Amino acid sequence: MWQNSPPGSLYDYIRVASFSLGADGRIEQWSERAAELFGIAARHAVGKDPLEIFAPAGARPRPGTPLTGAPFLGEGGLDGREWTGIVPYQRGERQPGLAEIYVMPTENDHGERAALCVAVDVRALRAIETDIAASEAVFGQSPLGFFFFGTDLTLLRVNESFAQTFGRPAAWHRGRTPHDFLPRSEADRLTAALRQVLDSGKPVSDIQLVGPVPGQSERRRWSVSLYRLHSGSGRPIGVAALATDVTGRRRAEREAAGVRRNLALLNEAGARIGNSLDLETTARELLDVAVPQFCDLASVDLYQGLLAGDEAPPGLADGSGELRRVAYASAVSGAPVDGDDKPIQVGEVHRYPFHSPCAGALRTAQVQVVPRREREEGPELGAVVQSTLAVPMVARDTVVGLAQFSRTKGSEPFGERDTALAVELAARAAVCIDNARLYRREHERALILQRSLLPPGDPDAAGLDIACRYLPANAATEVGGDWFDVIELPGHRTALVVGDVMGRGLRAAVAMGELRTAVRTLAMLDLEPAEVLSALDEIAHGLGRPGGKQSASRGVRGGVRAADLSEVYLATCVYAVYDPVTRRCTVANAGHLPPVLVEAGEPAMLLDVPPGMPLGVGGEPFEETVVDLPDGALFALYTDGLVESRDHPLDEGLQAFRDALDDPARPLEDVCDHVLDALDTHHGEDDIALLMARLRGLPDDCVGDWTLPPEPRSVARAREMAREQLVAWGLESLVDTTELLVSELVTNALRYGEGEIRLRLLLDRTLVCEVWDGGLVQPRRRRARDTDEGGRGLQLVGLLSAAWGSRRTPLGKTVWFELALPDGDAPAPDAVEALMSLY
């Protein structure tokens, strides 16, 4: 088939010149290539002796001289022999050169000897030889796989690297197509790419091909780049390609990607797991991280004892303890990961069989692989799952539960790196779950402490209606340093206390408990409010210090000052004592916000009470304020968390509190709820304690008060007045006991006391009898011997009364006893039996 220029012809790269010699040895024809190569036009060359063309200027013969010396004439050509040689030539004045001339003998149409000469510039020839040698070296010695496709997309040539890469000899590939050494799908992709490059001329880089290699079980992956080849004239002659085996690199990339994915998953786990201190929530957070990034199905089982808050380590040593499924997640439709015929539901309590992989994981604390089970009857877990890991959740050397991770068919099976990741995920979740367990235990203890230190419900008090509220700053902990208390004092008086330990949490609750206990103890001594705060200040000042008190000298231990090793307990407190008989309230303040008083028809006001210094500062006296409180008035004590917030100043909070008390006549519980709704009580910055009391005092007809002279007949007079008052109150069943005890107290006042004697009976929820005198000596109960004639009076008072005691007064002392009112069921104490029991 004729064509203009064969693709890849050598003459595209080598400029071949030709000329012919006649029978006389002179040039008969001179081609244009010869004119271009030697720089001599045909009109100057035709008819000339070749030596005139090729010999140097100084060696050319004179015109007319025979050319017998021309080598290619004397040795070949005209004498019938071929000849090849190197002939110098001069192109112009400054361009000498060498030409390789091939002389072929011919005959003209007369039968005479002639010659056809072909000339090539030696420099161009040597350059091509060098290029060919270099190309051969690159092609043959390159570690990359080179191969050439012709325009018919068959292989023309491959190098040894390509042959080794694809596992067959180099000669085998000649004339082959991609379908001969690649799988069909991959061969189709490569063929399409070859045709695209051949048609468009645009190279294609990094085509990923996958296929088998003879003699190897592993499928290999190659990266192939294609570009089009052109002849010297610019015409396409095929497609060249480079192939690199990237199986190892791809494997390393997958491993690196897996490591990066695992690190990212661990990072996400660290950020998402453990944000809650709830056991179930932590388990769900683990599954949120694992599904679907790590697996397709997952579940978490925790020991039932752990969830129940048992102190003993959860579970049994053989792994057969009761577990509860607390979380399950699935990225596909299927049964939970349990391996049983009946799926385990979230919240269900179950056990794993002793010989099951799950029980083995719990027993050994080692990861177990759950084998996949295929069954014929119906859809079951084995029809979906191909690989399952049973991972024990271990925290602080204790197994707290079991996590199961499963991958379905079509997903990559679990490998060693996946197993290590599963163990790490389960371990992180286990630590968080164990922390939540410990927190729950400590939280419950703190709540028990907190609730035990606060009054149970709304306490009762004589002459008072009381309502109270306590809101912790953090609803999750419910533990703080605010407290309130209602303490019943002798004489139907009531102490109202509100305090605030600086700080929050369990430490503040412990300090609050110590101070509240101290307040109750001091209140039982019936001290004045200022005296109670002074003693409380000393107690708070010594809390947290070695030995319970401040050291006189601050030494240095280990380079640290001893004062720095002790804690400073500071607290504010309001202590108010209300007397329902006199309607007076005595208030002392230790750095706390002042009480609020609301009288009928009047706006709420802050009581003008000296603020004092907080408890724990030490050395500062406290002052008292006595306020007359009318019946129906509202008295409120509170902590700063109710009125103070970073969103508004304290003055605004106090004003808002006073405004919220606009209708004090409504039920007291409703008033408390209205105050909490009107104020910002959900800011969570500080605890809130609110104690509100409506004052109603004791009616006049519930008080009997008499003054007796210090003489013996006053004993009988006291019994008579007590009897008449009890009969008027309808308490005939208490007459005998009251007469006997009044007689004892008045007798003691005559014998050991001074000045006038005052007898007072108070009726409210109980009956209280008080005997006042001017003596300072407090009565002391003692055990009388059988031979003693006296010393049994106070023993008798203790046996017949519900409670008794004595307290100091500004002008002496008061001895009192209290009797429970008859309820119709319990009989009154038998005075005769009590007397007989003393002997």
Side-chain angles (χ1 to χ4, degrees):
M1 182 177 70
W2 295 89
Q3 58 183 11
N4 294 332
S5 178
S9 172
L10 182 62
Y11 299 107
D12 291 338
Y13 303 95
I14 304 176
R15 308 291 287 181
V16 178
S18 64
F19 61 93
S20 65
L21 302 177
D24 56 356
R26 294 182 179 273
I27 298 174
E28 286 187 344
Q29 294 180 340
W30 189 258
S31 67
E32 293 182 359
R33 289 278 184 90
E36 179 183 350
L37 175 62
F38 299 112
I40 301 174
R43 64 179 181 272
H44 299 300
V46 173
K48 297 290 183 67
D49 189 321
L51 285 180
E52 295 181 22
I53 302 298
F54 299 106
R60 292 180 181 177
R62 294 187 300 274
T65 303
L67 300 177
T68 56
F72 50 82
L73 296 178
E75 298 180 10
L78 297 181
D79 60 357
R81 292 180 299 168
E82 294 183 355
W83 178 86
T84 303
I86 304 299
V87 176
Y89 68 91
Q90 184 75 27
R91 184 178 181 183
E93 297 295 333
R94 297 183 179 180
Q95 296 186 12
L98 293 175
E100 183 173 308
I101 297 179
Y102 177 48
V103 181
M104 296 173 289
T106 63
E107 291 182 357
N108 59 19
D109 52 355
H110 300 293
E112 298 173 333
R113 289 287 183 181
L116 176 63
C117 301
V118 178
V120 179
D121 188 278
V122 172
R123 290 175 299 179
L125 190 61
R126 296 296 180 264
I128 291 175
E129 291 175 350
T130 302
D131 292 343
I132 292 176
S135 299
E136 285 295 327
V138 171
F139 187 84
Q141 301 175 19
S142 173
L144 302 177
F146 277 101
F147 56 104
F148 301 142
F149 281 93
T151 54
D152 58 351
L153 303 186
T154 60
L155 280 171
L156 300 178
R157 188 179 181 187
V158 301
N159 67 351
E160 285 300 325
S161 296
F162 177 89
Q164 294 175 4
T165 298
F166 284 85
R168 290 183 176 90
W172 180 90
H173 291 86
R174 295 182 184 275
R176 302 283 184 174
T177 67
H179 289 83
D180 294 324
F181 58 90
L182 287 174
R184 180 175 180 178
S185 59
E186 301 295 281
D188 290 341
R189 291 178 55 230
L190 180 58
T191 300
L194 288 170
R195 194 170 304 281
Q196 175 186 347
V197 172
L198 190 61
D199 294 341
S200 66
K202 295 181 179 180
V204 175
S205 301
D206 197 21
I207 302 175
Q208 298 288 320
L209 302 176
V210 179
V213 173
Q216 297 185 17
S217 59
E218 182 184 11
R219 291 172 63 85
R220 311 296 293 179
R221 179 180 291 271
W222 303 282
S223 173
V224 178
S225 299
L226 308 175
Y227 59 94
R228 191 169 69 180
L229 291 176
H230 302 85
S231 66
S233 62
R235 288 183 174 83
I237 61 174
V239 178
L242 294 102
T244 305
D245 191 334
V246 295
T247 305
R249 186 181 71 185
R250 182 65 176 175
R251 186 186 305 114
E253 290 175 352
R254 288 200 306 268
E255 293 179 356
V259 171
R260 288 193 299 269
R261 183 175 60 252
N262 292 351
L263 290 177
L265 198 62
L266 289 176
N267 184 58
E268 183 181 2
R272 297 181 61 180
I273 299 176
N275 292 324
S276 171
L277 289 174
D278 180 75
L279 300 178
E280 293 83 354
T281 302
T282 302
R284 288 193 296 270
E285 290 170 347
L286 168 62
L287 301 193
D288 290 341
V289 172
V291 179
Q293 294 92 331
F294 176 68
C295 61
D296 301 313
L297 301 167
S299 67
V300 174
D301 300 322
L302 297 180
Y303 276 114
Q304 179 67 5
L306 179 79
L307 298 170
D310 296 342
E311 291 294 331
L316 300 176
D318 60 0
S320 62
E322 286 189 343
L323 298 105
R324 184 195 304 172
R325 177 145 298 176
V326 295
Y328 169 72
S330 173
V332 296
S333 59
V337 184
D338 49 46
D340 297 328
D341 295 333
K342 180 182 178 182
I344 299 175
Q345 304 299 325
V346 174
E348 183 178 347
V349 178
H350 64 97
R351 297 175 184 266
Y352 286 111
F354 179 80
H355 295 292
S356 66
C358 293
L362 293 170
R363 183 168 54 251
T364 63
Q366 299 293 326
V367 180
Q368 299 290 326
V369 178
V370 180
R372 177 171 59 90
R373 300 188 303 171
E374 297 284 359
R375 293 190 177 182
E376 297 180 356
E377 61 274 13
E380 194 254 343
L381 181 63
V384 178
V385 174
Q386 72 157 346
S387 181
T388 298
L389 295 177
V391 185
M393 304 178 70
V394 183
R396 301 176 180 90
D397 298 328
T398 301
V399 178
V400 299
L402 182 73
Q404 295 185 67
F405 306 101
S406 295
R407 289 180 178 174
T408 59
K409 292 181 178 179
S411 299
E412 184 179 355
F414 290 113
E416 293 184 3
R417 185 180 296 106
D418 296 323
T419 303
L421 177 60
V423 171
E424 180 64 22
L425 290 175
R428 292 194 179 197
V431 171
C432 294
I433 287 174
D434 195 53
N435 289 340
R437 176 184 70 86
L438 296 176
Y439 168 79
R440 176 183 291 182
R441 184 185 66 185
E442 298 303 321
H443 181 222
E444 291 176 352
R445 292 176 178 177
L447 286 181
I448 293 174
L449 171 63
Q450 177 88 10
R451 292 165 182 168
S452 67
L453 297 177
L454 294 176
D458 292 332
D460 296 327
L464 295 173
D465 293 329
I466 296 176
C468 52
R469 297 289 188 273
Y470 175 78
L471 299 178
N474 187 345
T477 60
E478 300 184 13
V479 178
D482 290 11
W483 90 92
F484 63 90
D485 210 345
V486 178
I487 306 171
E488 294 186 67
L489 301 177
H492 283 318
R493 293 171 304 132
T494 303
L496 304 175
V497 188
V498 167
D500 183 2
V501 175
M502 296 183 183
R504 67 181 63 177
L506 183 59
R507 188 178 300 276
V510 171
M512 175 268 286
E514 292 179 311
L515 294 178
R516 180 176 179 269
T517 302
V519 169
R520 279 192 160 266
T521 302
L522 295 172
M524 290 298 100
L525 297 178
D526 207 4
L527 302 176
E528 295 297 323
E531 294 177 325
V532 170
L533 293 186
S534 296
L536 197 62
D537 178 53
E538 290 294 328
I539 294 173
H541 194 60
L543 287 178
R545 292 178 172 83
K549 60 182 178 180
Q550 185 179 11
S551 176
S553 62
R554 297 188 175 185
V556 177
R557 293 181 294 172
V560 181
R561 296 177 63 86
D564 297 333
L565 297 176
S566 63
E567 294 189 49
V568 177
Y569 285 85
L570 295 178
T572 62
C573 180
V574 170
Y575 186 89
V577 176
Y578 174 69
D579 189 337
V581 179
T582 63
R583 273 74 170 178
R584 288 184 176 180
C585 184
T586 305
V587 184
N589 190 3
H592 204 82
L593 295 174
V596 173
L597 178 64
V598 186
E599 298 184 16
E602 299 291 337
M605 59 175 292
L606 297 175
L607 288 182
D608 186 12
V609 179
M613 297 298 292
L615 302 176
V617 174
E620 295 294 332
F622 298 95
E623 301 181 27
E624 295 178 355
T625 299
V626 180
V627 184
D628 291 325
L629 303 179
D631 289 349
L634 194 64
F635 189 71
L637 300 176
Y638 53 95
T639 57
D640 56 359
L642 180 67
V643 295
E644 190 175 18
S645 172
R646 65 170 61 98
D647 297 330
H648 55 75
L650 178 60
D651 293 341
E652 292 184 7
L654 290 173
Q655 185 60 48
F657 181 34
R658 294 198 297 269
D659 294 341
L661 299 174
D662 54 352
D663 188 9
R666 72 175 69 179
L668 204 55
E669 294 289 339
D670 295 344
V671 175
C672 284
D673 293 336
H674 177 67
V675 168
L676 296 181
D677 291 339
L679 275 68
D680 180 19
T681 58
H682 302 288
H683 49 70
E685 299 172 16
D686 199 0
D687 306 323
I688 296 174
L690 175 63
L691 177 61
M692 305 190 73
R694 178 171 285 120
L695 313 174
R696 52 183 174 83
L698 284 181
D700 293 339
D701 57 359
C702 291
V703 179
D705 195 349
W706 305 274
T707 301
L708 302 173
E711 55 188 31
R713 63 179 183 176
S714 294
V715 177
R717 180 60 180 161
R719 289 198 299 268
E720 180 182 356
M721 290 186 293
R723 183 189 316 110
E724 292 175 354
Q725 185 64 66
L726 292 182
V727 171
W729 286 338
L731 300 177
E732 289 82 358
S733 60
L734 299 181
V735 169
D736 293 341
T737 301
T738 303
E739 283 187 339
L740 178 60
L741 299 185
V742 166
S743 177
E744 289 293 336
L745 296 186
V746 173
T747 300
N748 286 343
L750 288 174
R751 181 176 299 177
Y752 304 108
E754 299 177 3
E756 292 183 334
I757 300 172
R758 183 181 176 185
L759 173 65
R760 189 167 74 170
L761 296 178
L762 306 175
L763 176 63
D764 191 72
R765 293 176 295 116
T766 61
L767 175 67
V768 174
C769 176
E770 298 177 329
V771 176
W772 306 44
D773 67 78
L776 298 178
V777 179
Q778 298 292 321
R780 182 174 61 87
R781 182 178 177 179
R782 64 183 180 88
R783 181 174 298 278
R785 296 186 294 270
D786 294 342
T787 57
D788 291 343
E789 297 182 358
R792 297 180 177 85
L794 293 182
Q795 293 186 43
L796 184 62
V797 174
L799 287 173
L800 295 178
S801 64
W804 77 278
S806 66
R807 68 178 187 272
R808 293 181 302 164
T809 64
L811 300 178
K813 68 176 181 296
T814 300
V815 183
W816 57 272
F817 65 86
E818 182 177 347
L819 296 177
L821 299 182
D823 57 5
D825 296 330
D830 190 341
V832 177
E833 291 293 335
L835 284 172
M836 296 299 297
S837 67
L838 297 179
Y839 297 93

